[in-house]
Amino acid sequence: IDEADIDLTEGLNILTGETGAGKSIIIGSVNVALGLAGFKGFAREDAAFALAELVFSVDNEKQRKALEKLDLSLEDDQIIISRRLVNGRSVSKVNGETVPVSLVRQVSEILIDIHGQHEHQALLHQKNHLAILDAFAGEVLSGPTGEVRTLYREYDALDKKLKETDLSEAARAKEMDFLAFEVGEIEDAAMKPGEDEALEQAYRRQVNSQRIMEGVTEAETLTGSDFGGAAELVSRAYRSLSTASAYDEKLESITAELADIDNLLNDFHRELKDYQESISFDAESFNRTEERLNLLNHLKAKYGGSIEKVLSYKKEKEERLEELEHYEAYRLRLKKELETKRAELLSACAKVSAIRKKAAELLSGKITAVLKDLNFLDVKFAIDFQESAPGPEGFDTICFLISMNPGQPLMPLQKVASGGELSRVMLAIKTVLADKDAVGTMIFDEIDVGISGRTAQKVSEKMAVIARSRQVICITHLAQIASMADTHFCIEKKIVDQEAKTFIRRLSDEESIEELARILGGAEITATVRQSAREMKELAVCTKKY
């Protein structure tokens, strides 16, 4: 594909085509755009760049609110997701803004649900059953499961703490000696917050005392009243101006200003003299300052980087030392806290389990009903609960059980279901969960694996029902499913300039019937096959009306 645009419609969009025509590229492009797959093997080796872009129309209020929580705003009620590969690097954008792939995946969970063969194979893994049940239970579980996760974190932290206290007498004595040394080293220093800053200032002053004295002396000389200093010159100027102002009143204000300058200089000079007399270099005091500063810097480097952190470290180690000194009492307290927390956790798990069991009963009934619609004639579906050790999701271990034949006992789904049966079970689950979320688009790939005949007809009818309330995109090889299309696309491979190219085109009603005939008839399409295709299409139209 050099370039292709597909304007998918509401309802059921069906994509058909010969094997190898490139149907997988369509789903591949969606996965690439959503960050669920990489460009490797998708973009052509000789391509200068590759681009996959999806445009979603959003008219669901629940979706809008979910997108707002991700700080995404709609433009003309649309979300445009694009991913471009240039020079070996991929860039993802949402509505023109560059975003991480992780955000694109979050957006995709709100907007689209992709059902492929890998997904119904996920039903073989029992760990996924709990996630499906919780998705069905919905908001009613969010608060209780959040409480379980919080309590489990607290319980797990206490459990680890208790295990860490399981020390031999020798190990405990060794740790106590080490802690006592560290606490004593900090305690002996008698550090005070802000002391290091004051010492650094004193140290800088003492180290540079000679330069300070030279600067002060020169300033005193220049501003003093001796040797033509500023004070002497201003004083002489003031006396001269005072004499002149006696003859002209206009000079009085200027003379007053000069008097202020004279006073300021005299005040400044006195303060400078006082400072000059106070500053002196004491070698013994300098050595004490240097030694103290070295000690503080050593402890800061060793225990935290600042006096506040060193003191905090000391407090922490004192608490640990206190615990070890009263070892048995400390362990007993931890055990009691752990028992209390475990009781709280088990109580929260029981609440979650009760909600799940109620939801499981309802889910089992709904899935059973849908499975009967999908040609499981005498099917029984149930959800088995087993209690295990409490974890972040509770203490429930569940397993989907199914019986597909009369007299057959309920067995774990993964032990009895074939590929075709698994795809129908997943379709049933998707159908039931569809009413629980706001996802507006569903993609079905490989939904027809291992099915044919009446079963395929039942699957097509169920997909038509789903497509009444949301957009459905389905790639299929079966005429029964293809006949239900509200919009039918054909994917074809042609040789252009000695190179294979894939094209996608929307089919008219007559072209759709011709494509159904191709699927039904194989190599030779007869008039009888065409008539069968037409009847199949007419029957599908009638089925969708009811």
Side-chain angles (χ1 to χ4, degrees):
I1 297 177
D2 284 332
E3 183 177 346
D5 293 313
I6 311 175
D7 188 8
L8 298 156
T9 66
E10 294 180 357
L12 181 56
N13 294 264
I14 293 293
L15 286 74
T16 59
E18 292 282 6
T19 301
K23 295 187 294 297
S24 61
I25 298 177
I26 307 304
I27 299 301
S29 66
V30 173
N31 284 327
V32 166
L34 297 177
L36 304 174
F39 277 100
K40 189 174 182 181
F42 171 77
R44 284 170 41 154
E45 292 293 331
D46 61 345
F49 72 96
L51 171 69
E53 184 173 83
L54 309 177
V55 182
F56 293 89
S57 295
V58 182
D59 54 11
N60 181 287
E61 192 59 31
K62 192 173 179 181
Q63 284 180 323
R64 287 175 183 272
K65 289 180 179 177
L67 291 168
E68 285 172 5
K69 286 182 180 179
L70 298 177
D71 291 327
L72 293 174
S73 57
L74 300 178
E75 295 182 6
D76 298 325
D77 293 329
Q78 289 185 338
I79 286 286
I80 302 174
I81 297 174
S82 66
R83 193 160 174 228
R84 183 186 296 269
L85 178 73
V86 180
N87 299 325
R89 292 185 60 192
S90 62
V91 177
S92 297
K93 292 188 177 184
V94 175
N95 283 357
E97 288 189 28
T98 302
V99 297
V101 174
S102 58
L103 179 61
V104 176
R105 290 172 185 156
Q106 287 179 274
V107 175
S108 71
E109 289 175 4
I110 298 169
L111 299 173
I112 193 167
D113 185 5
I114 302 176
H115 174 98
Q117 187 173 15
H118 70 282
E119 190 173 7
H120 60 249
Q121 291 295 323
L123 282 175
L124 298 175
H125 303 291
Q126 194 173 322
K127 65 181 182 180
N128 296 321
H129 298 178
L130 188 65
I132 292 170
L133 175 59
D134 284 0
F136 176 76
E139 287 297 319
V140 70
L141 258 184
S142 60
T145 51
E147 184 184 359
V148 166
R149 291 188 191 101
T150 299
L151 287 170
Y152 179 77
R153 280 196 301 270
E154 294 170 353
Y155 170 80
D156 189 51
L158 280 170
D159 187 47
K160 288 176 180 175
K161 203 170 185 179
L162 182 60
K163 287 174 181 175
E164 288 170 0
T165 64
D166 191 14
L167 300 171
S168 67
E169 192 64 33
R172 185 163 68 97
K174 185 177 179 181
E175 186 178 352
M176 287 177 67
D177 285 344
F178 184 66
L179 289 170
F181 169 77
E182 290 191 320
V183 170
E185 186 178 30
I186 298 170
E187 204 165 61
D188 290 344
M191 308 170 78
K192 295 177 183 176
E195 181 187 1
D196 52 343
E197 295 174 4
L199 282 170
E200 283 171 3
Q201 289 178 2
Y203 180 77
R204 281 198 303 272
R205 191 166 58 246
Q206 290 169 339
V207 164
N208 296 292
S209 60
Q210 186 175 348
R211 291 180 182 175
I212 293 170
M213 185 58 76
E214 288 173 356
V216 170
T217 300
E218 186 175 1
E220 192 275 334
T221 301
L222 293 172
T223 61
S225 57
D226 300 324
F227 314 112
E232 180 192 2
L233 295 175
V234 169
S235 181
R236 285 167 57 186
Y238 171 68
R239 288 195 299 270
S240 298
L241 202 56
S242 293
T243 302
S245 65
Y247 304 104
D248 189 349
E249 292 180 358
K250 292 181 179 179
L251 290 173
E252 287 180 0
S253 61
I254 300 174
T255 304
E257 289 177 12
L258 192 57
D260 291 339
I261 295 171
D262 187 36
N263 291 331
L264 284 172
L265 263 175
N266 289 329
D267 291 342
F268 166 75
H269 193 254
R270 280 194 297 272
E271 288 179 17
L272 197 61
K273 275 283 189 183
D274 292 341
Y275 179 83
Q276 192 176 25
E277 290 171 2
S278 70
I279 192 167
S280 62
F281 179 79
D282 182 347
E284 187 177 342
S285 174
F286 175 75
N287 290 334
R288 284 198 305 269
T289 301
E290 188 174 41
E291 287 174 7
R292 179 66 177 169
L293 198 54
N294 286 339
L295 173 62
L296 296 184
N297 287 335
H298 167 71
L299 293 176
K300 287 196 303 183
K302 189 174 181 180
Y303 296 120
S306 70
I307 288 181
E308 288 77 7
K309 288 182 179 178
V310 173
L311 294 175
S312 176
Y313 181 86
K314 173 177 171 280
K315 184 179 178 183
E316 181 185 324
K317 296 308 172 185
E318 282 174 334
E319 290 172 357
R320 175 61 176 163
L321 190 57
E322 177 81 11
E323 292 167 357
L324 293 175
E325 285 172 349
H326 304 89
Y327 184 63
E328 292 305 325
Y330 172 62
R331 278 181 59 82
L332 184 61
R333 178 167 60 82
L334 273 183
K335 285 178 181 178
K336 287 181 179 178
E337 286 180 13
L338 189 66
E339 287 171 7
T340 302
K341 191 61 66 177
R342 179 178 172 81
E344 291 176 9
L345 176 60
L346 289 173
S347 175
C349 288
K351 289 179 185 176
V352 168
S353 185
I355 295 170
R356 282 177 175 152
K357 286 174 181 174
K358 190 174 180 180
E361 188 176 345
L362 186 59
L363 178 61
S364 298
K366 286 180 175 289
I367 289 176
T368 300
V370 177
L371 287 173
K372 286 179 179 178
D373 288 343
L374 293 172
N375 211 32
F376 285 94
L377 300 179
D378 194 12
V379 68
K380 295 184 182 69
F381 185 90
I383 300 175
D384 177 62
F385 279 76
Q386 297 293 329
E387 188 174 318
S388 57
E393 302 301 322
F395 57 38
D396 293 319
T397 299
I398 72 164
C399 179
F400 289 168
L401 306 178
I402 195 166
S403 168
M404 291 178 283
N405 297 302
Q408 179 183 351
L410 285 163
M411 297 280 287
L413 179 65
Q414 59 268 35
K415 290 187 177 181
V416 295
S418 65
E421 288 163 340
L422 276 176
S423 67
R424 279 187 287 162
V425 172
M426 182 55 93
L427 177 58
I429 291 169
K430 291 284 186 186
T431 302
V432 173
L433 292 182
D435 296 330
K436 285 285 181 178
D437 59 40
V439 171
T441 298
M442 299 179 76
I443 295 182
F444 291 95
D445 186 21
E446 312 253 7
I447 191 67
D448 52 15
V449 170
I451 63 171
S452 58
R454 179 171 174 76
T455 299
Q457 182 62 32
K458 289 290 187 180
V459 168
S460 71
E461 291 171 7
K462 183 55 62 181
M463 293 185 69
V465 171
I466 296 173
R468 289 174 186 171
S469 59
R470 65 202 62 224
Q471 182 185 55
V472 176
I473 302 160
C474 178
I475 294 175
T476 186
H477 300 87
L478 295 178
Q480 293 95 324
I481 294 176
S483 67
M484 285 287 178
D486 294 313
T487 307
H488 193 167
F489 295 89
C490 181
I491 300 173
E492 302 168 304
K493 183 182 286 186
K494 298 179 181 179
I495 303 299
V496 179
D497 296 330
Q498 299 183 333
E499 190 174 11
K501 300 280 187 183
T502 293
F503 299 91
I504 303 101
R505 62 187 178 93
R506 181 173 174 174
L507 303 180
S508 65
D509 288 344
E510 282 302 314
E511 288 173 329
S512 179
I513 291 169
E514 192 68 19
E515 176 67 2
L516 291 177
R518 180 195 65 77
I519 297 171
L520 288 169
E524 186 176 351
I525 302 174
T526 63
T528 303
V529 171
R530 283 191 175 89
Q531 184 58 34
S532 296
R534 190 175 297 278
E535 289 175 359
M536 183 176 282
K537 187 69 178 177
E538 290 170 354
L539 179 63
V541 171
C542 292
T543 301
K544 286 192 288 185
K545 288 180 179 179
Y546 299 101

